[in-house]
Amino acid sequence: MVIVNIYLRNTSSCQSRLYTLPCFYNILRSFSLWSMKKVPELESALSRNRRWIVNNQIKNIILRLPSQVATVKYLQKKFKTLDLQGKAINWLKKYPCCFEVYFENNEHYCRLTKRMMSLVEEEESVKEMQESAYVERLVKLLMMSRNQRLNVVKLNELKRNFGFPDEYIIRILPKYPDMFRLVNYSGRKSSMEIELVSWKPELAVSAVEASAQKQGTEPCFSCCLPSTWVKSWEKFKEFNATPYISPYLDTKCLGEGSKEMEKRTIGVVHELLSLTLWKKMSIVKLGHFKREFSLPEKLNVLLLKHPGIFYVSNKYQNYTVLLREAYNGSELIEKDPLVVVKDKFGELMQEGLHEYNQRHRLMNLEKKKKRGMMPVRSEKSEDVRTEISQQDVIGDKLGELTLGLLAFASHEPPISVSLEKQVIGLVQETSTCALNSVQLLHIVFNPMADEEIADPKKYLEEACKPKCVKSLIEYEVQQLDRSQ
């Protein structure tokens, strides 16, 4: 709070002071590039997938073992690679419908339950039935790449995104010698590549073009934003007005940095996401293919310029880009058969977690009954709870204040997300707290908002009237000076 007040001592020179500190400004600028309005439904979809990913990795570790039984000690060693902390046995016991933990020969072991093994068999059956779809996806990926070649090591990082089996090089490639071949021009093991043998024009049709053919219209992107996002809609319409450029078009005929190249790049990312199972991908992993797919260095900045097409999230400190049009709320509109099976796994996992929580709750209640320590609600506990919730609100406001400073420091045009009445209502709530005044600044200067304001400073002064933001911030500064 002290640091914030130092930068707010003089509101008229706040922005210029930030610019006079290059190091601090660069930090702010780098963070502001990642500012995107959160969508709870899409964030929920990402968090649900996270739980599945962790347990799916444990499942794969167990299945790779000859007896398909793992010691808990062995899984404990693997926990670091799974980005998990704590005891492995505690995690495994949380999902009794998925993992069976038993004690034998003075050691704990883990194997998959019968229900889990049944889903594994169903998953393998779906993979065999979907083999032609995987071949098609791989051909499309190779046709989009610069030299119709992709590095095997890099592709392995994304094989689960596209639904490829673990042994796809052995299981799929030898069956289709007329389509694929393995090459290694440098001789290094890490340089092995999959090369496309022959171009397939019938497959060089993007998801956007396929949708346009069904509707009998010209191919163009769709925007999935509320109608109130006026500014974003205007930018999208301007971008969409130019002709669509297929991601399968050779980039040699396009000028680097041109609008046509940007259009083609957005088409490439859109097509890549359309080929994935969950219509999402890690931006870091996507960045590994910049050379192969002719993607720009600052790919993150480009994606944020198109919020109507893509949603960028930093859930779990892992930046992910998601295709908005593929989701209805938190659910995929069209689910791949493999996703349906994996959803069953998620349901089984959730069922086991619920069973575990219920059992432990009953055990804890029984223990408290025996000790005569049944919980009784009191006014004191309610007061403590209220105090904690107030602290949470203050913490949230501090987070919003930081976002306000980041947006205020950026070069983006000042724009507002609220109408004048909403702003005045917010100002009335900030009559005694300078912290909330900065929250108002955040609303007006937020670069991801939708309604443009020509003179934000004048707008604030008129909206605040006698309770202007400047006077409230000066009051906070005076309080700070007295305390020092």
Side-chain angles (χ1 to χ4, degrees), residues 198-259:
S198 58
W199 185 269
K200 303 293 178 183
E202 68 277 11
L203 296 179
V205 180
S206 68
V208 172
E209 291 171 316
S211 176
Q213 287 175 5
K214 287 181 182 178
Q215 298 172 10
T217 59
E218 290 295 318
C220 62
F221 296 105
S222 59
C223 183
C224 302
L225 289 176
S227 58
T228 53
W229 288 40
V230 180
K231 194 69 178 178
S232 296
W233 268 100
E234 288 177 0
K235 290 180 179 179
F236 172 77
K237 287 176 182 177
E238 183 183 349
F239 171 77
N240 219 24
T242 57
Y244 174 81
I245 297 177
S246 173
Y248 299 100
L249 182 70
D250 193 348
T251 57
K252 292 177 183 177
C253 61
L254 302 175
E256 190 174 347
S258 63
K259 289 184 178 180

Side-chain angles (χ1 to χ4, degrees), residues 283-304:
I283 292 181
V284 174
K285 290 183 178 179
L286 186 59
H288 294 169
F289 293 89
K290 285 178 181 177
R291 182 177 59 83
E292 289 85 348
F293 294 121
S294 302
L295 302 176
E297 282 299 319
K298 295 183 179 179
L299 178 61
N300 52 349
V301 180
L302 181 62
L303 296 177
L304 285 170

Side-chain angles (χ1 to χ4, degrees), residues 382-417:
E382 290 295 329
D383 292 340
V384 171
R385 225 172 263 157
T386 304
E387 184 179 345
I388 291 172
S389 65
Q390 289 174 349
Q391 290 174 356
D392 290 341
V393 171
I394 292 171
D396 291 340
K397 289 186 180 297
L398 284 171
E400 291 176 2
L401 180 141
T402 305
L403 286 174
L405 284 175
L406 296 177
F408 190 73
S410 71
H411 284 297
E412 299 292 339
I415 43 185
S416 172
V417 64

Side-chain angles (χ1 to χ4, degrees), residues 256-433:
E256 190 174 347
S258 63
K259 289 184 178 180
E260 291 78 14
M261 190 64 180
E262 180 181 339
K263 191 94 176 188
R264 192 258 178 191
T265 301
I266 295 300
V268 168
V269 178
H270 185 284
E271 183 70 357
L272 286 171
L273 295 179
S274 299
L275 293 174
T276 61
L277 296 179
W278 284 278
K279 316 306 177 190
K280 67 180 183 68
M281 192 181 295
S282 164
I283 292 181
V284 174
K285 290 183 178 179
L286 186 59
H288 294 169
F289 293 89
K290 285 178 181 177
R291 182 177 59 83
E292 289 85 348
F293 294 121
S294 302
L295 302 176
E297 282 299 319
K298 295 183 179 179
L299 178 61
N300 52 349
V301 180
L302 181 62
L303 296 177
L304 285 170
K305 283 173 62 180
H306 300 277
I309 304 172
F310 308 115
Y311 176 71
V312 178
S313 170
N314 64 337
K315 194 83 173 176
Y316 306 109
Q317 302 302 311
N318 180 29
Y319 290 105
T320 305
V321 57
L322 182 145
L323 195 59
R324 281 185 185 265
E325 67 187 55
Y327 280 81
N328 181 17
S330 62
E331 294 295 327
L332 278 167
I333 296 173
E334 294 182 8
K335 292 186 177 182
D336 186 272
L338 194 57
V339 172
V340 175
V341 177
K342 292 181 184 296
D343 279 351
K344 290 180 183 178
F345 174 32
E347 291 169 6
L348 185 65
M349 180 187 73
Q350 196 62 28
E351 181 186 333
L353 183 60
H354 178 71
E355 180 186 317
Y356 170 84
N357 290 335
Q358 285 289 93
R359 187 166 63 248
H360 273 254
R361 188 178 67 84
L362 293 173
M363 286 172 59
N364 289 333
L365 284 174
E366 192 64 31
K367 287 179 182 178
K368 287 179 180 179
K369 280 182 182 179
K370 289 180 180 179
R371 296 175 185 173
M373 294 172 61
M374 285 298 292
V376 180
R377 286 191 174 184
S378 64
E379 292 182 5
K380 186 176 180 181
S381 64
E382 290 295 329
D383 292 340
V384 171
R385 225 172 263 157
T386 304
E387 184 179 345
I388 291 172
S389 65
Q390 289 174 349
Q391 290 174 356
D392 290 341
V393 171
I394 292 171
D396 291 340
K397 289 186 180 297
L398 284 171
E400 291 176 2
L401 180 141
T402 305
L403 286 174
L405 284 175
L406 296 177
F408 190 73
S410 71
H411 284 297
E412 299 292 339
I415 43 185
S416 172
V417 64
S418 302
L419 297 173
E420 184 171 353
K421 288 182 180 179
Q422 292 173 305
V423 175
I424 293 173
L426 182 59
V427 172
Q428 289 172 352
E429 295 176 7
T430 64
S431 58
T432 58
C433 179

Side-chain angles (χ1 to χ4, degrees), residues 429-447:
E429 295 176 7
T430 64
S431 58
T432 58
C433 179
L435 185 62
N436 286 348
S437 301
V438 181
Q439 182 179 351
L440 179 60
L441 285 173
H442 164 58
I443 292 175
V444 176
F445 290 96
N446 184 3

Side-chain angles (χ1 to χ4, degrees), residues 163-180:
F164 298 153
D166 287 337
E167 309 83 13
Y168 72 100
I169 300 239
I170 301 171
R171 287 173 58 175
I172 296 179
L173 266 61
K175 293 182 182 179
Y176 303 90
D178 58 324
M179 294 185 184
F180 314 111

